[in-house]
Amino acid sequence: MSAFVVVEIEITDPVAYEEYKLYTPGSIAAYDGKFVVRGGSTESLEGNWNPQRLVVLEFPTVERAREWWNSPEYAKAKGIRQRAAHTKMLVVEGFEQ
């Protein structure tokens, strides 16, 4: 069953975050993942949730998403992101009809 990684990001160091964005796509693809949303504009329809940046990734399974997050391919990028932004990230199982 597919899985989605949902990330809310508040960038604190834009220069370093640009470096992060260079490393991330290859690491995601290496674990069969893809971007579904990558920082597009958002509009709050209910409540007061207005993220500065929102990213959604899709992986074939929750296990594959976890493998990516813990992978050596993502380690360098993860370290940059953790220094350059405040992040909330979760993985959620997709819905199968």
Side-chain angles (χ1 to χ4, degrees), residues 54-88:
L54 191 67
V55 174
V56 179
L57 308 173
E58 182 178 6
F59 289 89
T61 63
V62 168
E63 292 76 19
R64 203 69 173 140
R66 287 186 189 130
E67 289 172 1
W68 162 75
W69 194 83
N70 288 303
S71 72
E73 293 88 351
Y74 185 54
K76 181 175 183 171
K78 185 192 314 183
I80 295 168
R81 178 186 47 76
Q82 289 173 338
R83 289 187 302 277
H86 299 293
T87 306
K88 296 177 185 173

Side-chain angles (χ1 to χ4, degrees), residues 4-95:
F4 298 88
V5 174
V6 181
V7 191
E8 180 181 350
I9 305 160
E10 178 186 343
I11 300 167
T12 57
D13 182 344
V15 173
Y17 196 81
E18 287 301 314
E19 182 182 3
Y20 165 76
K21 288 173 23 181
L22 296 175
Y23 291 109
T24 307
S27 72
I28 293 167
Y31 288 83
D32 307 312
K34 65 180 181 179
F35 286 98
V36 178
V37 174
R38 190 176 187 191
S41 63
T42 62
E43 175 186 350
S44 181
L45 298 176
E46 189 169 331
N48 62 357
W49 188 28
N50 292 300
Q52 183 187 78
R53 182 174 178 83
L54 191 67
V55 174
V56 179
L57 308 173
E58 182 178 6
F59 289 89
T61 63
V62 168
E63 292 76 19
R64 203 69 173 140
R66 287 186 189 130
E67 289 172 1
W68 162 75
W69 194 83
N70 288 303
S71 72
E73 293 88 351
Y74 185 54
K76 181 175 183 171
K78 185 192 314 183
I80 295 168
R81 178 186 47 76
Q82 289 173 338
R83 289 187 302 277
H86 299 293
T87 306
K88 296 177 185 173
M89 183 182 301
L90 57 88
V91 62
V92 60
E93 288 182 343
F95 176 73

